[in-house]
Amino acid sequence: MGTVVSGNQQQVIIGPDVQHVYNEIRNLLSQLGNNISLEKNPSSEVSKESKKFSFDEMLDTISGIFTPILSAITGAAMIKVIVILLTITGLLKDKSQTQTILNFVSDTPFYFLPVMLSYSAAVKFKMNPMMGMLLGLMMIHPKYLEMVKLGENISFFGIPVTLATYTSTVIPIILIIWVASYVEKLSDKLSPKSIRFFLKPLLTLLIMIPLAFCMIGPLGTIAGQLLEKMLNLLQINYPWTLPIIFGAFAPVVIMFGMHYVVTIPLVITAINANGFDMIGPGFLVANMGQAGAALAIALVSKDKDFKSMSASSGLTALFGITEPAMYGVNLKLKKPFLFALSGGLLGGIICGIAGVKRVVFGPTGLATLPIFIDPKNNMNFIFAIIGLVISFITSFALTYFTYKNKNTLQ
């Protein structure tokens, strides 16, 4: 559907079938021989390491850590949506055993978030992933949590341990794995070849235990608390700001490849702290803006291929996948992209003024609208629908009437 260059990467826009295409290409390459691979070229890795750490690499790193865990988080979040729907409709009894099981299943990835992040971060930082998981698991071990609950002063070889709860946290474990990746390399150099098998992991753990519990973990906790306070300041005192900002500029954030980097840590932090986030409504109306503009182009375009692509990408955008519509249609024509931003802005204003909240983490589109059902506020869902309708109609109308009587699209 198009291509886009971002940093050191060129992205080929395929759409929701990207995984199937990837699998087919991987199979074809494997048939051609072992010399061809979808993995990164080792020589390019060497050249990258010799360069200074760039902003693009930072975005790629954070995105690479969070992307692998999205399916688990989203799947669990949709279980929570089902629980809400079944409980509201009376099909599921409140505090029943079935509800209890579904609730703890839906909470599982958030509770064990440090473990999942420790694995994906270890892969990204080129550390042994099992060692990474071990570090994540030790931070939420029941014995340690018991120590935190008791609140007694504890130490490790005389070094004071700062008691902090790491379940559902993001920043501490990423910092721990980042440091551990260098510690593991150091341990590898210090370990004689004959006993490296057990000495390398032993040295890594002995060094990382005091660093994790006494220094890096507490520092990461402080950073996480500061982030939480900033979000609370906006979500509680100025709740209208985030839906408006992201309603208008979410597509720009996506263009720069920052949608995972910016939103996921913020959203997870907000939901864990308050039970809701205000960024989701902004992305909802922004997605509808892109859909409206692309579908309007599908109606006015006289080119059969472009009409078909606009229609399919517009429908895809309605379900929260906007890259095909954005890159393949709206950005290519420029004006529809601006009209989509305008629609998102108006929808964001509605959601912002109404204080619309996303109560469950999940992608924002028509199929996942129940994530805006708030059992404590029935109007939250209604205003979310009003916001998306206004965004869609605005971008659709502006695009349609601008290109209605034009023989060519430009």
Side-chain angles (χ1 to χ4, degrees):
M1 293 182 170
T3 61
V4 60
V5 176
S6 177
N8 297 322
Q9 298 180 345
Q10 178 160 323
Q11 182 181 15
V12 179
I13 310 302
I14 295 173
D17 285 330
V18 64
Q19 186 63 48
H20 302 293
V21 176
Y22 173 85
N23 291 335
E24 289 297 328
I25 292 175
R26 186 176 59 184
N27 292 335
L28 288 170
L29 291 180
S30 65
Q31 294 170 16
L32 291 174
N34 295 328
N35 293 328
I36 303 176
S37 172
L38 288 179
E39 301 302 320
K40 291 181 179 178
N41 191 329
S43 61
S44 67
E45 290 297 313
V46 174
S47 62
K48 265 192 174 183
E49 288 176 2
S50 62
K51 296 178 182 178
K52 290 183 179 179
F53 192 75
S54 67
F55 182 68
D56 288 328
E57 288 180 48
M58 183 188 74
L59 296 183
D60 177 67
T61 298
I62 300 175
S63 176
I65 291 171
F66 281 99
T67 303
I69 70 171
L70 285 182
S71 58
I73 292 177
T74 303
M78 297 315 295
I79 291 291
K80 190 174 286 289
V81 169
I82 291 173
V83 172
I84 293 173
L85 289 173
L86 292 179
T87 304
I88 289 176
T89 55
L91 296 175
L92 187 65
K93 292 183 180 179
D94 191 27
K95 297 181 180 179
S96 65
Q97 292 178 342
T98 301
Q99 188 197 56
T100 301
I101 292 173
L102 290 174
N103 273 330
F104 78 68
V105 168
S106 65
D107 290 334
T108 297
F110 296 97
Y111 183 88
F112 292 100
L113 190 60
V115 181
M116 294 193 296
L117 286 175
S118 65
Y119 177 85
S120 60
V123 172
K124 194 64 184 175
F125 293 130
K126 296 180 173 58
M127 178 186 176
N128 184 314
M130 293 300 109
M131 285 296 296
M133 285 186 68
L134 174 57
L135 294 173
L137 286 162
M138 77 181 188
M139 305 304 292
I140 60 171
H141 193 282
K143 283 291 183 184
Y144 173 72
L145 295 178
E146 188 179 328
M147 291 179 177
V148 174
K149 188 176 181 179
L150 292 173
E152 298 175 355
N153 293 330
I154 60 173
S155 62
F156 182 77
F157 285 114
I159 306 172
V161 174
T162 303
L163 295 175
T165 302
Y166 296 105
T167 53
S168 304
T169 57
V170 172
I171 297 176
I173 194 62
I174 292 177
L175 291 176
I176 288 169
I177 301 300
W178 176 60
V179 173
S181 65
Y182 289 98
V183 171
E184 188 179 58
K185 291 182 178 68
L186 176 64
S187 301
D188 184 70
K189 290 181 180 178
L190 294 176
S191 302
K193 189 175 181 179
S194 59
I195 56 174
R196 187 174 294 157
F197 176 74
F198 65 85
L199 186 59
K200 176 183 171 181
L202 173 62
L203 287 176
T204 302
L205 279 175
L206 286 177
I207 296 171
M208 284 308 303
I209 290 171
L211 286 177
F213 285 111
C214 304
M215 188 170 71
I216 304 170
L219 286 175
T221 300
I222 293 171
Q225 289 172 346
L226 289 174
L227 178 63
E228 186 179 311
K229 287 179 181 178
M230 290 171 57
L231 283 171
N232 287 344
L233 179 67
L234 290 174
Q235 292 197 150
I236 295 174
N237 298 319
Y238 309 100
W240 48 271
T241 55
L242 291 176
I244 294 175
I245 292 170
F246 283 94
F249 297 111
V252 179
V253 172
I254 293 173
M255 282 174 57
F256 285 99
M258 295 175 64
H259 46 305
Y260 290 151
V261 180
V262 172
T263 59
I264 296 176
L266 293 179
V267 168
I268 291 175
T269 301
I271 290 180
N272 285 334
N274 305 313
F276 66 88
D277 82 278
M278 307 291 288
I279 295 175
F283 269 87
L284 175 68
V285 296
N287 292 344
M288 295 305 110
Q290 295 294 327
L295 289 174
I297 291 297
L299 282 181
V300 299
S301 176
K302 295 176 175 58
D303 182 286
K304 289 185 179 180
D305 291 335
F306 196 64
K307 179 188 283 287
S308 175
M309 186 182 72
S310 301
S312 61
S313 63
L315 289 172
T316 302
L318 287 174
F319 293 95
I321 304 170
T322 58
E323 284 87 347
M326 187 168 69
Y327 292 125
V329 181
N330 299 336
L331 268 172
K332 186 176 289 186
L333 300 176
K334 296 182 178 64
K335 286 182 181 178
F337 181 71
L338 296 177
F339 296 150
L341 297 186
S342 301
L345 174 62
L346 288 178
I349 290 173
I350 296 298
C351 290
I353 292 174
V356 176
K357 304 171 182 176
R358 175 170 56 179
V359 296
V360 177
F361 179 85
T364 48
L366 294 184
T368 55
L369 276 178
I371 63 177
F372 295 96
I373 295 176
D374 185 358
K376 300 176 183 177
N377 178 13
N378 294 331
M379 293 305 295
N380 191 77
F381 184 68
I382 303 298
F383 279 113
I385 293 176
I386 293 173
L388 76 86
V389 169
I390 288 176
S391 176
F392 181 87
I393 290 176
T394 300
S395 62
F396 182 92
L398 289 173
T399 305
Y400 179 80
F401 289 109
T402 299
Y403 289 93
K404 179 182 178 183
N405 298 319
K406 289 190 176 183
N407 291 325
T408 58
L409 298 176
Q410 53 182 330

